[in-house]
Amino acid sequence: MDHFIYRNGVLHAEDVALPDIAAAVGTPFYVYSEATFRRHFVLFDEALAGMDHMICFAMKANGNLAILKLMNNLGAGIDVVSGGEYAKARAAGVPGERIVFSGVGKTRAEISQTLQGGIRQFNVESEPELRRLSEIAMGLGLRAPVALRINPDVDARTHAKISTGKSENKFGIPISKARKVYAEAASLPGIEVIGVDLHIGSQLTDLAPFETAFEKIAALALALRDDGHNIRRLDLGGGLGIPYTHTNSAPPLPLEYGAVVRRTLGHLGCEIEIEPGRLIAGNAGLLVSSVIYMKEGEGRNFLIVDAAMNDLVRPAMYEAHHDIVPVLEPYPATPYAPIDIVGPVCETGDTFATQREMPPLGADELVAFRSAGAYGAVMSSEYNMRPLIPEVLVSQDQFAVIRPRPSFDEMINRDKVPEWL
Ligand code: LLP
């Protein structure tokens, strides 16, 4: 459930009518509902109730400073994957003890930065990374708290580009090698082994792959304890999918996911850590755009909108579906007809939807792309010299711009022309 609903025929974010935001900031823009963010966090919190747990929001899904502050206020931890994300989480006030550092290629600079700044846990993905981490930690007179990311060789049955838990993926340490690598970790002076980590993929719409992976991890944790390791924390990654359409079957709820966690891992008495991104942010955000033209082509019509693939790349990159709805609710008997919804960028890939059933829409009318709060703004670019679009946060009847649109001058002046030209 989200807080984007039609009221008196106008799509609202909580108590704010979207045309009011459009009038204030111009289109296109992202708009987020604070209540929806909160609700999604609470759903996970309730799903894991009774187990010692920490929800570390994967900020790669939405890294706006205001969103990080909101998450921090809720007591969330943050899952970061770069020195930049770490710096931003800290800037939002998140203490190092609540920041987990994931990722397959941490650099020396990132390791020293986060060790010195304070960190809850490194999720280590390879033996070379383990050795480098130990060396840098020793140099600083510290011990790095470590969970090894184990690749359980489970098919997450999601889009190939966001599946991470199969042996052919670049992620993690093969489960078959795990005991050997833990033995090495325990022997390294700069490493303190605290747990096991995994993440098998994103947008999972079935609990079975989680269950299989968690069972494998439970067995591994017991074997590691037998080997003498003090395994006290399990990081289960993120990945729970969200409904991208209002028509297809609903993915499992956090409560059902929590039941799987309890059933497969509850007996171990470990602290449970999860790293959800999409489920917290995805349906907490819309992308609002205006129609530039309705163009009649040969055999098909095109709705050209002012948002483009640089603002929301998911359809071009993953053939992802986003529901696109008119901001003014059509009258019940309005005839719908198929149309291609495209942006102005000079590539055929700049297509949001083909032959989508839409009501008639004309120039300047507003449309909203649903489920755009995760992997939307963060993946945007300035391709075609298009400014990054504003982000707006709504809380009940108030809204604030949480990232303004840059001016052309600001964009131009970031480039520097060498003196010889
Ligand atoms: N933890 C790790 C280690 C991850 O790699 C990811 C996502 C997450 C947590 C959060 O997963 P989530 O709960 O959001 O599924 N750009 C793609 C999604 C890439 C996901 C990458 N890793 C998209 O737009 O669908």
Side-chain angles (χ1 to χ4, degrees), residues 114-387:
T114 51
L115 272 172
Q116 283 172 294
I119 190 92
R120 172 177 172 82
Q121 170 189 321
F122 287 91
N123 289 334
V124 170
E125 300 220 12
S126 67
E127 290 143 290
E129 184 190 348
L130 197 57
R131 292 173 201 138
R132 182 179 286 180
L133 180 58
S134 175
E135 194 186 296
I136 297 174
M138 277 201 313
L140 294 167
L142 298 168
R143 284 182 85 199
V146 161
L148 295 185
R149 174 165 175 184
I150 300 303
N151 184 327
D153 194 18
V154 169
D155 186 353
R157 288 184 242 146
T158 179
H159 191 286
K161 284 189 186 162
I162 52 176
S163 190
T164 51
K166 286 283 287 169
S167 55
E168 65 259 31
N169 299 131
K170 69 178 174 182
F171 298 100
I173 293 160
I175 193 158
S176 54
K177 277 176 71 179
R179 289 172 81 168
K180 185 174 143 282
V181 183
Y182 269 94
E184 175 169 6
S187 75
L188 292 171
I191 300 292
E192 186 193 1
V193 171
I194 56 167
V196 184
D197 167 51
L198 84 160
H199 170 79
I200 58 173
S202 195
Q203 186 54 18
L204 272 74
T205 51
D206 178 5
L207 290 174
F210 283 122
E211 179 141 21
T212 310
F214 297 168
E215 278 166 356
K216 288 188 172 192
I217 291 304
L220 175 66
L222 290 175
L224 292 173
R225 281 182 177 166
D226 281 349
D227 292 347
H229 303 288
N230 181 5
I231 302 298
R232 50 195 185 276
R233 185 183 295 163
L234 302 175
D235 180 336
L236 308 179
L240 194 57
I242 61 167
Y244 273 97
T245 65
H246 291 294
T247 45
N248 74 354
S249 65
L253 301 171
L255 202 62
E256 298 166 285
Y257 169 88
V260 171
V261 173
R262 207 177 302 271
R263 187 162 71 240
T264 52
L265 301 165
H267 59 289
L268 296 169
C270 285
E271 178 182 8
I272 300 293
E273 197 168 80
I274 58 169
E275 302 166 351
R278 192 190 309 268
L279 197 136
I280 290 184
N283 279 322
L286 304 180
L287 167 60
V288 180
S289 178
S290 348
V291 174
I292 308 180
Y293 302 111
M294 205 290 281
K295 172 175 167 179
E296 290 185 15
E298 214 161 15
R300 61 170 67 200
N301 295 336
F302 298 93
L303 196 65
I304 306 172
V305 296
D306 65 357
M309 63 189 288
N310 68 300
D311 304 310
L312 178 67
V313 78
R314 303 191 69 258
M317 195 159 174
Y318 314 113
E319 285 99 43
H321 171 99
H322 286 264
D323 277 353
I324 303 170
V325 297
V327 166
L328 297 185
E329 193 173 23
Y331 293 111
T334 307
Y336 278 57
I339 194 161
D340 285 11
I341 302 172
V342 302
V345 161
C346 309
E347 292 197 27
T348 305
D350 187 21
T351 297
F352 290 119
T354 42
Q355 296 299 287
R356 183 72 64 85
E357 293 288 332
M358 294 293 287
L361 286 164
D364 303 325
E365 289 194 62
L366 297 173
V367 292
F369 292 65
R370 289 193 179 271
S371 314
Y375 306 109
V378 283
M379 291 180 78
S380 56
S381 76
E382 293 177 343
Y383 187 39
N384 281 208
M385 183 64 190
R386 293 168 51 86

Side-chain angles (χ1 to χ4, degrees), residues 383-421:
Y383 187 39
N384 281 208
M385 183 64 190
R386 293 168 51 86
L388 292 183
I389 66 178
E391 292 174 276
V392 174
L393 182 63
V394 170
S395 178
Q396 299 180 352
D397 62 355
Q398 53 179 341
F399 70 89
V401 175
I402 57 173
R403 188 179 69 188
R405 194 190 311 274
S407 67
F408 290 149
D409 278 348
E410 283 169 323
M411 291 168 70
I412 293 165
N413 291 328
R414 283 202 311 252
D415 288 0
K416 298 293 166 215
V417 178
E419 60 187 19
W420 66 81
L421 284 179

